[in-house]
Amino acid sequence: MSLKAVLLDFNGTIINDEPVHEELINDLLLQENLRPSPHDFHEICLGRSDRVCLKEILARRGRVVSEEYLNSLIARKSQAYQARIATLDPLPIYPEVEEFLQQLQREELIIGLVTGALRSEVDTVLQRTNLAPYFQVFVTGDEVTTSKPDPYGYLLAVERLNRLFPHLNITAQNCLAIEDSPAGITAAKQAKMQVVGIAHTYPFHMLQRQTNWTVDRFSELELERVKAVFAQKTLPVNS
């Protein structure tokens, strides 16, 4: 079994924008005459889509909304996110992201993105940072009705990999996922992928219990070692 593709999460993995999302969620609640809680975002939203996040936060406050109204809330937040991102210069991209993507390219690995973020948000960030050309496969929140920790997004990514590269016969076991949250890690593991936890959002020790590899930053991931483990068809001890 060889490593053929690396699938990355977006928010909290590529860009340090979780504080922006938290602020915008709180702004939406205030606009709805609801009081934000300092705990809700971290308990409900990290690693999950806006749809799931907003629906559960509203439900906790006794507010049940139609899908149409929920869609309007998501659209309002997305517009606010893109407006906020436009004011940030430079963007809070995590260090070493581009160097890591270049390394994956040199190793001739396919690179994909699996995220609950909307495609318009992803494109806004990737185009401003010149990272877009590195990614060959995208699965984003506006085309997936479920959210991590459900594995559907990762399974859909495998389908798309095979449509684009049918000669490679890619399975989930040929893919490495890179995630920053327990929800994302669970989604990738349920899809039968090996997972790197990157300690951008949660402490190293918390991710280490759940992942095959754990790192503080991209440069710490020993890609040759990872490829060797895939080739041996064995799971590594957490490192």
Side-chain angles (χ1 to χ4, degrees), residues 106-178:
R106 288 194 298 271
E107 297 289 339
E108 298 184 340
L109 295 168
I110 302 166
I111 306 171
L113 198 70
V114 179
T115 176
L118 300 182
R119 182 62 184 265
S120 58
E121 298 173 6
V122 171
D123 287 344
T124 296
V125 171
L126 295 187
Q127 289 167 5
R128 273 191 60 191
T129 55
N130 299 317
L131 296 178
Y134 292 100
F135 294 92
Q136 295 151 287
V137 170
F138 291 86
V139 175
T140 57
D142 29 6
E143 54 189 346
V144 176
T145 56
T146 59
S147 174
K148 300 171 184 177
D150 189 284
Y152 178 72
Y154 277 109
L155 297 175
L156 180 58
V158 173
E159 289 182 18
R160 291 183 174 174
L161 287 168
N162 280 301
R163 286 202 295 269
L164 286 171
F165 309 98
H167 60 290
L168 293 179
N169 298 314
I170 297 173
T171 68
Q173 288 75 22
N174 296 123
C175 299
L176 179 71
I178 301 182

Side-chain angles (χ1 to χ4, degrees), residues 7 25 29-30 32-34 53 60 71 75 91 97 99 125 147 153 161-162 166 176 194 236:
L7 304 174
I25 291 287
L29 291 175
L30 290 172
E32 294 294 307
N33 297 314
L34 298 171
C53 165
R60 283 192 177 191
N71 288 339
L91 289 178
V97 169
E99 292 87 343
V125 171
S147 174
L161 287 168
N162 280 301
L176 179 71
Q194 294 191 44

Side-chain angles (χ1 to χ4, degrees), residues 180-191:
D180 72 300
S181 71
I185 291 165
T186 299
K189 290 179 72 174
Q190 288 188 349

Side-chain angles (χ1 to χ4, degrees), residues 53-71:
C53 165
L54 287 168
K55 192 171 185 177
E56 186 166 339
I57 285 179
L58 291 172
R60 283 192 177 191
R61 289 158 174 76
R63 182 80 63 85
V64 178
V65 297
S66 66
E67 284 299 307
E68 182 180 6
Y69 195 75
L70 184 59
N71 288 339

